[in-house]
Coordinates of all heavy atoms in Angstrom, one line a residue:
Chain A
G119 N -77.4 -159.3 207.3 CA -77.3 -159.0 205.8 C -78.1 -160.0 205.0 O -78.7 -159.6 204.0
V120 N -78.0 -161.3 205.3 CA -78.7 -162.3 204.6 C -80.2 -162.1 204.7 O -81.0 -162.3 203.8 CB -78.3 -163.7 205.0 CG1 -79.0 -164.7 204.2 CG2 -76.8 -163.8 204.7
E122 N -81.7 -159.3 205.4 CA -82.0 -158.1 204.6 C -82.1 -158.4 203.1 O -83.0 -158.0 202.4 CB -80.9 -157.0 204.8 CG -81.2 -155.8 204.0 CD -80.4 -154.6 204.5 OE1 -80.4 -154.4 205.7 OE2 -79.7 -153.9 203.7
M123 N -81.2 -159.3 202.6 CA -81.3 -159.8 201.2 C -82.6 -160.4 201.0 O -83.3 -160.1 200.0 CB -80.1 -160.7 201.0 CG -80.1 -161.4 199.6 SD -81.2 -162.7 199.4 CE -80.5 -164.0 200.5
Q125 N -85.5 -160.0 202.6 CA -86.5 -159.0 202.6 C -86.5 -158.3 201.2 O -87.6 -158.0 200.7 CB -86.3 -158.0 203.7 CG -86.7 -158.5 205.1 CD -86.4 -157.5 206.1 OE1 -85.3 -157.1 206.3 NE2 -87.5 -157.0 206.7
G128 N -88.3 -159.8 198.5 CA -89.7 -159.9 198.6 C -90.2 -161.1 199.5 O -91.3 -161.5 199.3
A129 N -89.3 -161.6 200.3 CA -89.7 -162.8 201.1 C -90.6 -162.3 202.3 O -90.4 -161.3 202.9 CB -88.5 -163.5 201.7
K137 N -86.8 -170.5 205.1 CA -85.8 -170.6 204.1 C -84.5 -170.0 204.4 O -83.4 -170.2 203.7 CB -86.3 -170.0 202.8 CG -87.3 -171.0 202.0 CD -87.6 -170.4 200.6 CE -88.6 -171.2 199.9 NZ -88.0 -172.5 199.4
P141 N -82.4 -172.8 208.0 CA -81.3 -173.4 207.3 C -79.9 -172.8 207.5 O -78.9 -173.5 207.6 CB -81.7 -173.2 205.8 CG -83.1 -172.9 205.8 CD -83.4 -172.3 207.1
E142 N -79.9 -171.5 207.6 CA -78.6 -170.8 207.8 C -78.0 -171.1 209.2 O -76.8 -171.1 209.5 CB -78.7 -169.3 207.6 CG -78.8 -168.9 206.1 CD -77.6 -169.3 205.3 OE1 -76.5 -168.7 205.5 OE2 -77.7 -170.2 204.5
D216 N -72.2 -178.9 207.7 CA -71.9 -177.5 207.5 C -71.2 -177.2 206.2 O -70.2 -177.9 205.8 CB -70.9 -177.0 208.7 CG -70.8 -175.5 208.7 OD1 -71.5 -174.8 208.0 OD2 -70.0 -175.0 209.5
K217 N -71.7 -176.2 205.5 CA -71.1 -175.9 204.1 C -70.2 -174.7 204.2 O -69.8 -174.2 203.2 CB -72.3 -175.6 203.2 CG -73.3 -176.7 203.1 CD -72.7 -178.0 202.6 CE -73.8 -179.0 202.4 NZ -73.3 -180.3 202.2
R218 N -70.0 -174.1 205.4 CA -69.3 -172.9 205.5 C -67.8 -173.1 205.4 O -67.0 -172.1 205.3 CB -69.6 -172.1 206.7 CG -71.0 -171.5 206.7 CD -71.4 -170.9 208.0 NE -71.4 -172.0 209.0 CZ -71.7 -171.8 210.3 NH1 -72.0 -170.5 210.7 NH2 -71.7 -172.7 211.1
R220 N -64.3 -174.7 203.8 CA -63.8 -175.1 202.5 C -63.3 -176.6 202.6 O -62.6 -176.9 203.6 CB -62.6 -174.3 202.1 CG -63.0 -173.0 201.5 CD -61.7 -172.1 201.4 NE -62.1 -170.7 201.1 CZ -61.9 -170.2 199.9 NH1 -61.2 -170.8 199.0 NH2 -62.3 -169.0 199.6
Chain B
R51 N -82.0 -147.8 200.7 CA -83.0 -148.7 201.4 C -84.4 -148.1 201.4 O -85.3 -148.9 201.6 CB -82.5 -149.0 202.8 CG -81.2 -149.8 202.9 CD -80.5 -149.7 204.2 NE -81.3 -149.9 205.3 CZ -81.7 -151.1 205.7 NH1 -81.2 -152.2 205.2 NH2 -82.5 -151.2 206.8
R80 N -94.2 -156.7 198.8 CA -93.3 -157.9 198.5 C -93.3 -158.2 197.0 O -92.3 -158.5 196.5 CB -93.8 -159.1 199.4 CG -93.5 -158.9 200.8 CD -93.4 -160.2 201.5 NE -94.7 -160.9 201.4 CZ -95.7 -160.8 202.2 NH1 -95.6 -160.0 203.3 NH2 -96.8 -161.4 202.1
R83 N -91.1 -155.8 195.3 CA -89.7 -156.0 195.6 C -89.1 -157.1 194.6 O -87.9 -157.1 194.4 CB -89.4 -156.4 197.0 CG -89.5 -155.2 197.9 CD -89.3 -155.6 199.4 NE -89.4 -154.5 200.3 CZ -89.6 -154.7 201.6 NH1 -89.8 -155.9 202.1 NH2 -89.7 -153.6 202.3
Q84 N -89.9 -157.9 194.1 CA -89.4 -158.9 193.1 C -89.0 -158.2 191.8 O -88.3 -158.8 191.0 CB -90.5 -160.0 192.9 CG -90.7 -160.8 194.1 CD -91.9 -161.7 194.0 OE1 -92.5 -161.9 193.0 NE2 -92.4 -162.2 195.2
N94 N -74.0 -161.1 200.7 CA -75.2 -161.6 201.4 C -75.7 -162.9 200.7 O -76.9 -163.0 200.4 CB -76.3 -160.6 201.5 CG -75.8 -159.4 202.4 OD1 -74.7 -159.5 203.0 ND2 -76.6 -158.4 202.5
L96 N -76.5 -167.0 200.8 CA -76.9 -168.1 201.8 C -75.7 -169.0 201.9 O -75.3 -169.7 200.9 CB -78.1 -168.8 201.4 CG -79.4 -167.9 201.3 CD1 -80.5 -168.6 200.5 CD2 -79.9 -167.6 202.7
Q97 N -75.1 -169.1 203.1 CA -73.8 -169.9 203.2 C -74.1 -171.4 203.1 O -73.2 -172.1 202.8 CB -73.2 -169.6 204.5 CG -72.7 -168.1 204.7 CD -71.7 -167.7 203.7 OE1 -70.7 -168.4 203.6 NE2 -71.9 -166.6 203.0
Q98 N -75.3 -171.8 203.4 CA -75.6 -173.2 203.4 C -76.2 -173.7 202.0 O -76.6 -174.9 201.9 CB -76.5 -173.6 204.5 CG -76.0 -173.2 205.9 CD -74.8 -174.0 206.4 OE1 -74.4 -175.0 205.8 NE2 -74.3 -173.7 207.6
E110 N -87.7 -168.9 194.0 CA -88.6 -169.6 194.9 C -89.5 -168.7 195.6 O -90.7 -169.0 195.7 CB -87.7 -170.3 196.0 CG -86.9 -171.5 195.5 CD -85.9 -172.0 196.5 OE1 -86.1 -171.7 197.7 OE2 -85.0 -172.8 196.1
I111 N -89.0 -167.5 195.9 CA -89.9 -166.5 196.6 C -90.9 -166.0 195.6 O -92.1 -165.8 196.0 CB -89.0 -165.4 197.1 CG1 -88.3 -165.9 198.4 CG2 -89.9 -164.2 197.5 CD1 -87.2 -165.0 198.9
Y139 N -70.0 -173.9 197.1 CA -70.7 -173.1 198.2 C -70.0 -171.8 198.3 O -68.8 -171.6 197.9 CB -70.6 -173.9 199.5 CG -71.6 -175.0 199.5 CD1 -71.2 -176.3 199.0 CD2 -72.9 -174.8 199.9 CE1 -72.2 -177.3 199.0 CE2 -73.8 -175.9 199.9 CZ -73.5 -177.1 199.4 OH -74.4 -178.1 199.4
S141 N -68.4 -170.2 200.5 CA -67.1 -170.2 201.2 C -66.0 -170.7 200.2 O -64.8 -170.5 200.5 CB -67.2 -171.1 202.4 OG -67.4 -172.5 202.0
R155 N -78.6 -163.9 191.0 CA -79.8 -164.0 191.8 C -80.7 -162.7 191.6 O -81.9 -162.8 191.5 CB -79.4 -164.1 193.3 CG -80.6 -164.1 194.3 CD -80.1 -164.1 195.7 NE -79.3 -163.0 196.1 CZ -78.5 -162.9 197.1 NH1 -78.3 -164.0 197.9 NH2 -77.8 -161.8 197.4

Side-chain angles (χ1 to χ4, degrees):
Chain A
V120 179
E122 181 163 309
M123 177 283 292
Q125 284 182 294
K137 279 190 184 286
E142 287 295 292
D216 191 7
K217 307 296 185 192
R218 286 171 303 180
R220 284 167 187 248
Chain B
R51 290 161 52 81
R80 289 201 301 272
R83 283 179 182 160
Q84 292 167 15
N94 296 354
L96 297 164
Q97 298 296 311
Q98 305 287 359
E110 290 170 15
I111 286 168
Y139 286 87
S141 62
R155 176 181 63 199

